[in-house]
Amino acid sequence: MPDTTNLEPPEKSSARARILRTAHDLFYRDGVRATGVDALIATAGVTKVTFYRHFPSKDDLILAYLNYRHELWMTWFVDALARHRRAQSRAKRERSPLAPAALALAEWIRDPAFRGCAFINVVAEFGDHFPRAVEIAGAHKRDVTAAITPLLDSSRGAQALARAAAIAIDGAIVRAQADDESAGIALAGLNDLLDALTASARTPRHRAEAEPTETAPRNQHRAG
C-alpha cells in the first residue's frame, strides 16, 4: 500500500478531509472500537463542533472511512496487478497467471504499516451489528475478485477460479498478521495455493477438450 499521508480524500472541505484521513490512519492502525471520537478530534486538530458538523455520528465516519479505504486500496491493487503482469513473460503468464496477485500481496504484507484487511477487521469487530459496514465489506471483496479475474483466460471457469483465489488471499492476509514469521508462511502458502488452483483448473478443461462429449439417446425423456 502507498503512503497515505499525501493522499487527500475527494472532499471539498479541508477540515472534513483532515478528519477522514485521520480516521483512516487511526482506525486501520488501532481498530475502530479502540479509537474514540476525542482522539480523532485531537489528532485531526478540529473542534467538536466542526467534527459533528461533518460527521453527525461515529457510524457516519466509519462508513466514510470504509468507502475511502476501498477507493485507496483498490487503486493501489489494480495498479500493482498490472505492474507485475507486465513484468511477466508470455510463458510465465500462461504458467502462473495468478502470480501478480501473490506479488502484490507480498508488497502490502511486508509494509511496516500492514495491519491486515480493513474490511475483514471491521466485520470481525462489529459482525452483523453494523449491516451497512458489512455491506461495504462485501462489495469490496467482490471488487477484489473482479480485479483478479482479468489475469485469467476467458474460459467459463475464470470467475470461479478468481473467487477461489480471493478466498486464498483473505486467508493469507489473516495468517500474516501474527508476526514476521507468519507473514513469510502466509506468502509461501498463498503461492502454493494459487499454483494449485491454476493446475486444478487446467486439468478438467484439458480433459474436456481431449474427450468427445457424449450425447443423450434420442428416446431419453427430458426432465422438467
Side-chain angles (χ1 to χ4, degrees):
M1 274 287 292
D3 181 6
T4 64
T5 54
N6 295 319
L7 294 172
E8 291 289 340
E11 306 287 349
K12 294 181 180 179
S13 167
S14 60
R16 181 183 175 90
R18 196 159 63 250
I19 295 167
L20 184 52
R21 188 172 60 247
T22 299
H24 173 275
D25 294 346
L26 296 186
F27 283 165
Y28 183 65
R29 187 189 70 194
D30 301 330
V32 174
R33 288 187 182 275
T35 303
V37 170
D38 288 344
L40 290 164
I41 289 171
T43 306
V46 298
T47 65
K48 281 192 176 182
V49 171
T50 299
F51 179 91
Y52 286 110
R53 181 187 304 125
H54 292 295
F55 300 100
S57 70
K58 186 178 178 181
D59 283 0
D60 292 323
L61 181 56
I62 293 168
L63 295 174
Y65 153 66
L66 290 174
N67 284 318
Y68 175 45
R69 176 70 183 185
H70 172 73
E71 292 182 13
L72 186 68
W73 197 91
M74 287 303 304
T75 297
W76 166 79
F77 185 56
V78 170
D79 176 74
L81 291 178
R83 279 190 288 107
H84 289 298
R85 191 170 191 274
R86 285 194 300 269
Q88 287 181 303
S89 65
R90 183 171 181 177
K92 180 70 172 176
R93 286 183 188 180
E94 293 178 356
R95 186 170 65 253
S96 302
L98 293 170
L103 292 168
L105 262 290
E107 284 183 23
W108 180 38
I109 287 173
R110 288 172 178 148
D111 188 320
F114 173 75
R115 294 294 184 276
C117 172
F119 303 90
I120 292 175
N121 294 347
V122 165
V123 172
E125 286 196 66
F126 292 96
D128 58 3
H129 297 293
F130 200 167
R132 287 184 295 170
V134 173
E135 183 178 337
I136 293 172
H140 172 77
K141 293 304 178 184
R142 288 191 292 274
D143 283 353
V144 171
T145 301
I148 295 169
T149 304
L151 298 175
L152 305 163
D153 62 31
S154 57
S155 66
R156 288 180 297 175
Q159 191 170 7
L161 181 56
R163 282 196 299 267
I167 292 170
I169 286 170
D170 281 343
I173 290 169
V174 173
R175 182 68 173 85
Q177 286 181 262
D179 50 43
D180 290 341
E181 183 180 359
S182 295
I185 293 170
L187 290 171
L190 178 61
N191 277 298
D192 291 342
L193 284 170
L194 295 183
D195 285 345
L197 284 171
T198 302
S200 66
R202 285 197 184 107
T203 303
R205 182 169 73 249
H206 289 174
R207 186 185 302 123
E209 291 171 353
E211 297 176 358
T213 302
E214 294 184 4
T215 57
R218 291 185 178 181
N219 61 351
Q220 182 175 344
H221 294 291
R222 293 182 180 179

